[in-house]
Amino acid sequence: MRRLQGRVRPYAWGAHDAIPGLFGYPPAPEPVAEVWLGAHPDDPAVVGCDEHAPLFDLNQVYQGEYPVRPSAAEQSLADYIAADPCATLGPSVAEVSEGLPYLLKLIAPAEPLSLQVHPSREQARAGFATEEKAGIPRQAPQRNYKDTNHKPELTYALTRFDALSGFRAPRRIGTVIRGLETPLSNRLLQIIHDAGVRAAFTFLLSPDTAPTAEEVTAVAAACARRAPEESPSPRADAIVTRLAQKYPGDPGVVASLLLNPVTLRPGEALFIPNGTVHAYLSGLAVEIMATSDNVLRAGLTHKHVDAAELLRVVDAIAAPPIRIAPERVSRIMSTFYAPVEDFQLSAIHLWDANAREPIRSEGPRTVICLEGAAQLEAGGQRADVNAGQAMFIPADDGQLTMRGFGNLVLASVP
């Protein structure tokens, strides 16, 4: 077992207080949008921290030092795994994966994230090769494909978590838009009737046909004027109004009317497959995904936008948000089985500090203690993790057991 310390991503849309506050720290001077606890080469977590090491580097957060490099006594998780992949990942995982298959994060959007889509593995490989051939530096702002992997993801809510995910059914979109009576909304209704939702989405986001800022503003104003008791979707109107305040004139504001709004309560999970258009709006959550940083954006952001590439890979089939119910695997553990081979996420509730509980898992594992404290035992070692600490358990440590009192999450491979 190796104690793990993640790396903070201070994206502008992040909350200053949500992640620090979860573990009893004051608000940070910079946004703590995400904490990465994986082995992605762009920002790998470190191992070899002392027993008091918090989940993320407090000096980094409260002094604004980005990026932070490991000290001489520390080692990146990527290097630790690369030194002996068979032992750390297990033979079956090491055979099919170049490194840790999953990337575990904490995520805390205080403002809406971009309207985005993640590519399939085949699309990522082709896009990466094209950009490499074009000589675009991997850290360049205009780079779409940072690696060759796909990026399905699962979000496990710790607080109320609001998002947009996937397309509504055409009939429902018509119900939501009808009555706004603006030139743009009427045009969208006609496009959906004649050519379908993909055509309407393409019309909104393609540079050649995208509406003007004034047309977007008119739709947002119409949504804001609708009385909740008379609106076919007060939630959609509220989302449009909020997005218009943050990104005035952005066609993505109107595109949100085509998408499913979803609200997770604490303990609920949402799965985002490759190709699904989505945007996170607010909340605090644990997020797990395939190890990738490939994001195609089409709006609601100040980052690089490539609407043409997003439209090329987006899946425009109408479908409800994919909420995954956990399977109870023991008296203390419930697991969210996503339909991918890269990861699964378990929620663990320890309630009897005198009982040492076996944890059903194998391969590489990452544990975050969210609340309380636990003692972990594996590979002949014992280690304590308190709220706001994390541990990496390599495959060759074998059976993991825990005892304590509190709530933890466990990332692992199916």
Side-chain angles (χ1 to χ4, degrees):
M1 289 188 291
R2 301 297 298 274
R3 199 169 296 277
L4 194 64
Q5 188 170 71
R7 288 295 177 245
V8 169
R9 285 288 174 119
Y11 302 131
W13 47 259
H16 292 250
D17 57 349
I19 294 176
L22 180 65
F23 305 118
Y25 302 121
E30 299 286 338
V32 184
E34 297 179 347
V35 177
W36 286 24
L37 290 150
H40 192 283
D42 282 357
D43 223 351
V46 297
V47 296
C49 316
D50 66 49
E51 63 179 339
H52 303 295
L55 187 71
F56 47 89
D57 192 319
L58 299 180
N59 291 327
Q60 177 188 9
V61 171
Y62 294 104
Q63 296 178 20
E65 298 175 359
Y66 302 99
V68 170
R69 301 302 178 193
S71 70
E74 297 172 333
Q75 181 183 28
S76 80
L77 181 59
D79 289 344
Y80 172 67
I81 290 171
D84 194 346
C86 193
T88 53
L89 302 178
S92 61
V93 175
E95 184 178 351
V96 298
S97 179
E98 295 181 1
L100 189 65
Y102 59 80
L103 173 56
L104 183 65
K105 300 180 182 179
L106 289 178
I107 182 171
E111 298 175 352
L113 277 69
S114 56
L115 194 66
Q116 61 184 260
V117 170
H118 304 312
S120 69
R121 187 176 281 112
E122 292 74 20
Q123 291 163 341
R125 287 171 177 166
F128 183 86
T130 297
E131 292 184 335
E132 287 286 284
K133 186 176 181 180
I136 303 173
R138 295 188 190 183
Q139 299 305 318
Q142 71 271 27
R143 180 96 186 206
N144 287 323
Y145 296 94
K146 306 293 183 65
D147 51 67
T148 60
N149 205 10
H150 67 163
K151 194 187 175 187
E153 60 190 34
L154 182 141
T155 301
Y156 170 73
L158 301 179
T159 66
R160 171 176 169 152
F161 196 89
D162 290 310
L164 298 166
S165 178
F167 289 99
R168 300 177 190 261
R171 188 185 299 274
R172 178 57 179 161
I173 295 173
T175 300
V176 172
I177 293 178
R178 194 171 292 110
L180 293 176
E181 295 299 333
T182 72
L184 177 55
S185 62
N186 291 338
R187 178 72 184 278
L188 286 176
L189 285 172
Q190 191 62 51
I191 293 173
I192 292 170
H193 179 270
D194 293 342
V197 174
R198 176 182 284 276
F201 192 62
T202 301
F203 167 78
L204 286 172
L205 299 182
S206 295
D208 294 340
T209 59
T212 65
E214 291 75 17
E215 290 174 315
V216 171
T217 299
V219 171
C223 288
R225 285 195 301 268
R226 285 203 289 203
E229 61 272 14
E230 298 175 358
S231 172
S233 180
R235 183 159 58 158
D237 290 343
I239 290 171
V240 167
T241 302
R242 181 183 177 194
L243 293 177
Q245 291 171 347
K246 179 63 180 176
Y247 300 105
D250 190 315
V253 171
V254 179
S256 72
L257 291 168
L258 310 183
L259 307 181
N260 297 300
V262 56
T263 296
L264 301 178
R265 294 174 295 182
E268 294 182 332
L270 174 69
F271 178 67
I272 305 290
N274 299 325
T276 296
V277 61
H278 62 285
Y280 294 152
L281 304 178
S282 63
L284 173 62
V286 173
E287 190 178 27
I288 187 168
M289 61 196 64
T291 298
S292 174
D293 196 26
N294 290 326
V295 181
L296 305 173
R297 303 178 182 87
L300 306 179
T301 183
H302 301 298
K303 293 183 178 182
H304 173 62
V305 167
D306 191 339
E309 186 66 4
L310 180 146
L311 291 168
R312 190 181 71 83
V313 305
V314 70
D315 183 350
I317 301 296
I322 303 176
R323 298 171 180 265
I324 295 184
E327 180 178 330
R328 190 173 179 88
V329 297
S330 74
R331 67 174 193 159
I332 61 153
M333 180 173 165
S334 297
T335 300
F336 296 91
Y337 293 106
V340 293
E341 297 182 351
D342 309 79
F343 59 80
Q344 61 191 30
L345 187 72
S346 299
I348 297 171
H349 175 60
L350 298 175
W351 48 269
D352 182 355
N354 294 316
R356 183 161 291 280
E357 304 281 357
I359 304 300
R360 295 187 184 180
S361 63
E362 56 185 26
R365 292 148 289 179
T366 305
V367 172
I368 303 176
C369 185
L370 300 172
E371 182 183 14
Q375 185 181 78
L376 278 56
E377 183 173 353
Q381 307 172 65
R382 285 186 178 179
D384 295 329
V385 286
N386 299 313
Q389 291 188 307
M391 194 76 67
F392 179 75
I393 301 95
D396 64 353
D397 273 0
Q399 175 69 57
L400 171 66
T401 63
M402 296 183 186
R403 71 179 183 89
F405 191 86
N407 295 310
L408 306 92
V409 289
L410 172 82
S412 58
V413 180

